[in-house]
Amino acid sequence: MKRIIAIILLFTLLLAAGCTGKDLSAYETAVSCIGKPLSALTEQIGEPASVSYSSSCLGDGEDGELYYDGFTVYTYRDTDGSENVYDVMEAN
């Protein structure tokens, strides 16, 4: 429960900053990009170390796992080629 509250508070703070990356860590920047196009994220923190895609249960597109140092970005790539960030998880 504490983690959920912390994530909500962090998301609220980062939402106010937008996906700008100003004075934010790469992880915080990634979190601020949830719901935005993947291109907004890669412009701020660069390309991931590695990627993996598989068929999605969300639609006809693909789910992506983009691995950065210390966290993973989860995306949905639609059949039209658009790709959006839908979650970010820190590595344990």
Side-chain angles (χ1 to χ4, degrees), residues 3 6-21 24-36 41 45 71-74 85-90:
R3 182 177 177 172
I7 290 172
I8 290 170
L9 289 174
L10 177 63
F11 181 72
T12 302
L13 287 172
L14 296 175
L15 188 61
C19 186
T20 63
L24 300 176
S25 70
Y27 171 77
E28 292 169 326
T29 299
V31 170
S32 75
C33 289
I34 292 174
K36 295 182 172 48
L41 173 64
I45 66 172
F71 63 95
T72 302
V73 174
Y74 297 93
V85 176
Y86 72 82
D87 200 6
V88 179
M89 297 291 290
E90 282 186 290

Side-chain angles (χ1 to χ4, degrees), residues 15-91:
L15 188 61
C19 186
T20 63
K22 292 181 182 177
D23 299 328
L24 300 176
S25 70
Y27 171 77
E28 292 169 326
T29 299
V31 170
S32 75
C33 289
I34 292 174
K36 295 182 172 48
L38 176 61
S39 59
L41 173 64
T42 57
E43 288 173 8
Q44 295 297 316
I45 66 172
E47 298 294 326
S50 64
V51 298
S52 173
Y53 287 94
S54 62
S55 296
S56 177
C57 60
L58 299 174
D60 292 334
E62 297 178 304
D63 290 329
E65 294 183 6
L66 290 71
Y67 302 99
Y68 287 88
D69 185 26
F71 63 95
T72 302
V73 174
Y74 297 93
T75 65
Y76 176 74
R77 182 167 57 189
D78 208 341
T79 56
D80 66 4
S82 63
E83 188 169 4
N84 292 310
V85 176
Y86 72 82
D87 200 6
V88 179
M89 297 291 290
E90 282 186 290

